[in-house]
Amino acid sequence: QVTLVESGGGSVQSGGSLRLSCSGPGEVLDKYSIAWFRQAPGKEREGVAAIDSDDDTVYADSVKGRFTLSRDPDKDTAYLLMNNLTPEDTAMYFCAADYVPWRLQERYRHWGQGIQVTVSS
């Protein structure tokens, strides 16, 4: 069983920034495909960003140009830097990992517990 742990969430005003972290086993965070998903109250979970084993990234249109996904193999951590946040970004954010590059599909094998991000206007 792979345990992924998200951190860095919280509350921020519109226009602000947050950096989410996803930590876990080194082999997973360094070599697997990693993705972030989010789910707002009353809405379906949606893919936000993904990075594959070649460090190629893909983003949802709603966050493109504002969010950046990266990984640091030395720290066994993946980061989601979120800039210019809006109230529409308010959601529970989940980290996911798999050796298959699912990109923004919800087919990842391993999931974190999620962390709340709240953006006020």
Side-chain angles (χ1 to χ4, degrees):
Q1 181 67 24
V2 172
T3 299
L4 302 176
V5 179
E6 301 97 338
S7 61
S11 298
V12 66
Q13 289 190 329
S14 185
S17 299
L18 283 174
R19 189 180 73 164
L20 303 183
S21 299
C22 175
S23 300
E27 180 181 26
V28 174
L29 270 296
D30 297 351
K31 299 178 181 179
Y32 280 28
S33 292
I34 306 294
W36 285 91
F37 292 80
R38 67 185 181 186
Q39 186 167 22
K43 295 186 177 181
E44 294 186 354
R45 189 160 58 184
E46 62 172 347
V48 174
I51 186 168
D52 66 17
S53 58
D54 294 325
D55 284 348
D56 291 329
T57 54
V58 61
Y59 299 92
D61 288 342
S62 59
V63 306
K64 201 172 293 183
R66 300 188 298 124
F67 289 14
T68 303
L69 175 56
S70 63
R71 67 170 102 216
D72 186 343
D74 292 337
K75 296 184 178 180
D76 299 336
T77 301
Y79 301 101
L80 183 67
L81 176 61
M82 307 185 294
N83 293 323
N84 195 21
L85 287 162
T86 73
E88 288 68 37
D89 296 312
T90 295
M92 184 73 77
Y93 283 71
F94 299 87
C95 175
D98 202 325
Y99 62 85
V100 177
W102 296 116
R103 295 170 67 84
L104 299 182
Q105 299 180 71
E106 292 186 47
R107 301 178 68 177
Y108 288 79
R109 178 175 301 185
H110 310 293
W111 291 82
Q113 293 297 309
I115 193 163
Q116 180 67 36
V117 170
T118 302
V119 184
S120 58
S121 57

